[in-house]
């Protein structure tokens, strides 16, 4: 249990997807003009992460890692399909995203319209595939830890995008040097937020 | 036509600083120059060939499932690149860790396929893919150059700042530890954008 809580907190603050690994920056910069759409996208990202990560974990464990196929028959124990992991992970992610898109279109048309092209682009949101690849690299022990990591990194991503959206809403009233306007200042603010988040690094969990 | 395809992605239509695509993987690999160069090369290869292949297929892919088809093609190319890196440049491959896999979700690739390759003939698409990858690589290498030089005093692992300058040897110089931290990549990129937009005023965003 302690382990799960520590993974959860760590993935929100210390290993934050945006500030520590810059994952999901494209949609982070493009959809962060108003807080409402930013939060909507953040929730969608959490949802997709929470569904895809445990799924990919199971696929990784029982299909892809070396010797994973031993449960079918002992003769397959030598097989190592890990080179297929990219394609398996991205297929799972793309189909789940399609599902989320249909659900959002049906039940929240307003949100669907404001997210526009970025909903299908969750499929290519690096934070999602990055989550699966980190899961594979860090060798989490069981599905509980993986879920905690998924929820945590999703919340971390939501926090980051909600934060930058709130700042950018205020930024509209400030006098930024013309060449820095928009993209440039967003990068610099994200950098400063990242430095602020680094203060969590000293915490030992 | 070709001149436009060649030159635009490098500066005026640079995928990173103007179109805001593919930033995800752009920054995490820029602490050192060597992984940045390898990453840039991998991305150039993947963007070029994915545009080429999908441009060949563009009239046969049904519209509803095109994203999946694109992902399958891109993922296959990335797997090939990843296996080659593991075989011939294992150390760099270790340093790049998950970021080679993340080329799949690099928005530049999908963006160029959607915006260009699906509507154009294979040869221009191939060139477009290559030059967009090169525009991405240019920024990557520029940021990595600054970060490695100021952060570690080296370039490609070769010491550039003379040893006698360092404090420990009685000099006046100290490496800037802050530059190596992840957030500084963002700030350097912000400054790069600032410089670029100061030079070509047309890129300045409207208020």
């Amino acid at each position: 249990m302690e382990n799960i809580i520590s993974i959860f907190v760590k993935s929100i603050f210390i290993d934050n997807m945006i500030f520590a690994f810059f994952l999901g920056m494209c949609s982070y910069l493009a959809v962060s003009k108003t807080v409402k759409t930013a939060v909507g996208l953040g929730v969608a990202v959490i949802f997709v992460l929470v569904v895809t990560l445990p799924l990919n974990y199971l696929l990784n464990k029982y299909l892809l890692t070396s010797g994973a196929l031993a449960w079918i028959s002992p003769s397959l124990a030598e097989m190592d399909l890990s080179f297929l992991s990219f394609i398996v992970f991205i297929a799972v992610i793309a189909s789940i995203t399609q599902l989320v898109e249909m659900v959002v279109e049906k039940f929240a048309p307003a949100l669907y319209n404001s997210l526009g092209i970025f909903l299908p682009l969750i499929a290519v949101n690096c934070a999602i595939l990055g989550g699966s690849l980190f899961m594979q690299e860090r060798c989490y022990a069981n599905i509980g830890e993986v879920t905690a990591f998924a929820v945590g990194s999703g919340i971390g991503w939501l926090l980051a995008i909600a934060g930058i959206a709130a700042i950018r809403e205020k930024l509209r009233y400030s006098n930024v040097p013309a060449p820095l306007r928009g993209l440039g200042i967003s990068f610099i603010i994200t950098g400063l937020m990242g430095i602020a988040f680094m203060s969590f690094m000293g915490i030992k969990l | 036509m070709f001149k436009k395809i060649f030159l635009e992605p490098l500066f005026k239509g640079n995928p990173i600083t103007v179109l805001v695509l593919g930033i995800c993987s752009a920054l995490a690999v820029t602490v050192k120059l060597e992984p940045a160069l390898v990453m840039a090369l991998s991305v150039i290869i993947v963007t070029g060939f994915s545009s080429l292949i999908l441009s060949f297929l563009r009239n046969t892919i049904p519209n509803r499932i095109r994203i999946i088809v694109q992902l399958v093609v891109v993922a296959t190319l990335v797997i090939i690149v990843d296996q080659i890196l593991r075989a011939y440049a294992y150390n760099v491959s270790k340093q790049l860790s998950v970021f080679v896999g993340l080329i799949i979700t690099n928005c530049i690739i999908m963006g160029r396929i959607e915006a260009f390759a699906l509507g154009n003939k294979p040869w221009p698409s191939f060139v477009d893919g290559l030059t967009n990858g090169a525009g991405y690589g240019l920024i990557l290498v520029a940021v990595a150059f600054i970060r490695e030089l100021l952060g570690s005093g080296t370039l490609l692992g070769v010491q550039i700042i003379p040893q006698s300058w360092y404090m420990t040897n009685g000099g006046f110089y100290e490496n800037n530890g802050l530059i190596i931290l992840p957030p500084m990549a963002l700030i350097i990129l912000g400054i790069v954008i600032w410089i670029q937009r100061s030079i070509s005023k047309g890129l300045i965003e409207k208020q």
Side-chain angles (χ1 to χ4, degrees):
Chain A
M1 195 61 207
E2 265 173 34
N3 212 357
I4 289 183
I5 293 173
S6 102
I7 287 177
F8 177 70
V9 175
K10 206 171 160 205
S11 53
I12 296 181
F13 294 108
I14 303 170
D15 289 341
N16 187 294
M17 281 283 186
I18 296 264
F19 299 130
F21 299 108
F22 318 107
L23 296 181
M25 288 295 286
C26 305
S27 31
Y28 168 85
L29 288 166
V31 191
S32 61
K33 290 198 176 100
T34 56
V35 174
K36 210 171 148 226
T37 33
V39 171
L41 185 72
V43 172
V45 166
I46 295 180
F47 180 78
V48 176
L49 267 177
V50 170
V51 177
T52 55
L53 241 66
L55 214 57
N56 280 340
Y57 172 75
L58 292 177
L59 281 170
N60 188 38
K61 192 168 173 192
Y62 294 108
L63 193 65
L64 297 172
T65 46
S66 76
L69 287 172
W71 60 274
I72 298 177
S73 86
S75 59
L76 293 175
E78 300 283 301
M79 293 277 272
D80 183 359
L81 293 181
S82 51
F83 69 92
L84 283 178
S85 51
F86 294 161
I87 211 160
V88 170
F89 290 168
I90 199 73
V92 169
I93 290 166
S95 37
I96 296 290
T97 321
Q98 195 85 46
L99 206 71
V100 172
E101 192 185 342
M102 289 194 284
V103 170
V104 174
E105 193 177 3
K106 181 101 174 63
F107 295 106
L111 181 64
Y112 181 78
N113 287 334
S114 58
L115 288 181
I117 190 181
F118 284 95
L119 209 52
L121 281 185
I122 289 186
V124 287
N125 187 322
C126 318
I128 314 269
L129 182 65
S132 287
L133 293 176
F134 277 129
M135 174 270 293
Q136 193 187 29
E137 196 183 73
R138 290 176 192 166
C139 307
Y140 287 116
N142 55 47
I143 200 158
E145 290 186 9
V146 171
T147 316
F149 170 65
V151 180
S153 44
I155 291 176
W157 201 85
L158 172 70
L159 267 182
I161 195 172
I164 189 92
I167 294 176
R168 283 179 83 173
E169 276 189 2
K170 298 279 176 223
L171 209 62
R172 223 171 289 153
Y173 306 107
S174 47
N175 187 14
V176 180
L180 261 185
R181 221 179 275 153
L183 188 60
I185 195 76
S186 307
F187 273 122
I188 291 177
I189 289 172
T190 310
L192 294 177
M193 285 166 80
I195 290 176
F197 261 67
M198 292 198 80
S199 58
F200 291 109
M201 281 233 294
I203 300 173
K204 282 273 177 293
L205 284 168
Chain B
M1 172 77 178
F2 271 101
K3 197 179 165 212
K4 189 168 167 265
I5 298 177
F6 258 117
L7 294 178
E8 201 170 273
L10 293 179
F11 192 77
K12 265 196 171 147
N14 189 290
I16 293 188
T17 58
V18 180
L19 306 178
V20 210
L21 295 173
I23 299 150
C24 317
S25 49
L27 302 169
V29 299
T30 53
V31 177
K32 289 259 152 62
L33 199 53
E34 193 189 1
L37 276 171
V38 173
M39 184 74 182
L41 203 64
S42 315
V43 170
I44 292 173
I45 291 170
V46 175
T47 42
F49 283 97
S50 62
S51 283
L52 180 71
I53 293 169
L54 283 156
S55 178
F56 271 123
L57 294 174
R58 71 186 186 283
N59 295 325
T60 50
I61 305 172
N63 200 31
R64 292 291 293 178
I65 58 157
R66 66 177 195 284
I67 302 267
I68 305 262
V69 176
Q70 289 164 12
L71 284 174
V72 170
V73 171
V74 176
T76 313
L77 287 167
V78 172
I79 288 175
I80 295 171
V81 167
D82 182 48
Q83 297 291 323
I84 291 175
L85 282 184
R86 269 172 212 224
Y88 294 105
Y90 188 70
N91 284 331
V92 182
S93 159
K94 267 266 163 284
Q95 280 175 47
L96 291 172
S97 76
V98 301
F99 291 97
V100 178
L102 286 172
I103 296 177
I104 299 173
T105 53
N106 191 319
C107 320
I108 295 175
I109 299 172
M110 298 293 277
R112 286 332 287 174
I113 293 169
E114 285 276 303
F116 198 93
L118 289 182
N120 286 286
K121 292 212 167 66
W123 176 236
S125 303
F126 183 55
V127 177
D128 177 78
L130 287 182
T131 48
N132 272 284
Y136 165 94
L138 191 71
I139 301 291
L140 209 65
V141 169
V143 174
F145 180 84
I146 300 171
R147 286 182 82 189
E148 185 168 354
L149 186 61
L150 298 182
S152 322
T154 58
L155 284 178
L156 288 172
V158 179
Q159 190 73 33
I160 295 293
I161 310 287
Q163 287 291 352
S164 56
W165 285 15
Y166 283 100
M167 294 282 205
T168 43
N169 300 333
F172 57 92
Y173 188 79
E174 196 66 40
N175 283 330
N176 188 340
L178 192 64
I179 295 270
I180 299 183
L181 298 179
M184 282 311 288
L186 289 163
I187 294 179
I188 292 172
L189 193 53
I191 294 169
V192 169
I193 292 172
W194 192 357
I195 295 169
Q196 190 196 12
R197 290 188 181 182
S198 307
I199 296 169
S200 50
K201 304 269 188 221
L203 296 172
I204 292 172
E205 289 176 36
K206 307 217 167 27
Q207 203 137 33

